[in-house]
Amino acid sequence: TCDERTGVCMCISGWGGVSCETQCPGGEASPCNGHGICNYLDATCACEQSATLGHWSGAACEMCSSQYTGTSCTVACPLNGGVACSGHGACFDLQGKGKCKCDTDYCSTSCSLSGTACSGLTCQAGYAGVACSLKCPGTPFC
């Protein structure tokens, strides 16, 4: 509804823009996919960034922020220099703990080591190989 005196429109949930003509990302039924707040001025999402509600990103708050994982985006990934898995692996949730699956030839809990530095390391539970990048099939332990 728009105030005739001021010309300012107050949009219903899920809509924004000067005249409330733009649907928020995520749709009217679930603006920002329920993981953020839709700005009624321009219909863009401000995604949640909290320990309890999760750390979300994307235009519609549809994915975890780069340093978090898990179904609720509340599990912190191992960081090196502020980058999840040192940029050399993929973060995943293993029983509530953020773990890295390192790219080939990288190792350590945050994938910060490579090459000969990976020789003789003890791999995380569920992984094997020189760089600890091979996932054990069917069990978390090899």
Side-chain angles (χ1 to χ4, degrees), residues 34-36 47-56 64 68-76:
H35 303 299
C47 302
E48 294 289 353
Q49 298 296 317
S50 80
T52 54
L53 299 175
H55 297 268
W56 298 90
C64 294
Y68 291 86
T69 190
T71 57
S72 300
C73 298
T74 55
V75 178

Side-chain angles (χ1 to χ4, degrees), residues 4-129:
E4 292 178 22
R5 193 174 43 122
T6 64
V8 176
C9 296
M10 292 303 296
C11 305
I12 61 170
S13 179
W15 292 88
V18 176
S19 302
C20 303
E21 74 283 359
T22 307
Q23 192 173 45
C24 296
E28 183 177 352
S30 185
C32 305
N33 287 301
H35 303 299
I37 297 172
C38 185
N39 181 333
Y40 72 90
L41 295 175
D42 61 5
T44 59
C45 292
C47 302
E48 294 289 353
Q49 298 296 317
S50 80
T52 54
L53 299 175
H55 297 268
W56 298 90
S57 67
C61 305
E62 72 278 8
M63 60 186 161
C64 294
S65 295
S66 64
Q67 297 178 348
Y68 291 86
T69 190
T71 57
S72 300
C73 298
T74 55
V75 178
C77 297
L79 303 177
N80 185 36
V83 179
C85 303
S86 303
H88 299 293
C91 183
F92 66 98
D93 179 0
L94 180 66
Q95 300 173 341
K97 303 277 186 195
K99 301 290 181 184
C100 292
K101 180 184 183 310
C102 300
D103 296 338
T104 303
D105 296 328
Y106 286 88
C107 61
S108 83
T109 56
S110 64
C111 305
S112 59
L113 302 176
S114 64
T116 57
C118 296
S119 299
L121 286 179
T122 302
C123 299
Q124 298 177 49
Y127 289 89

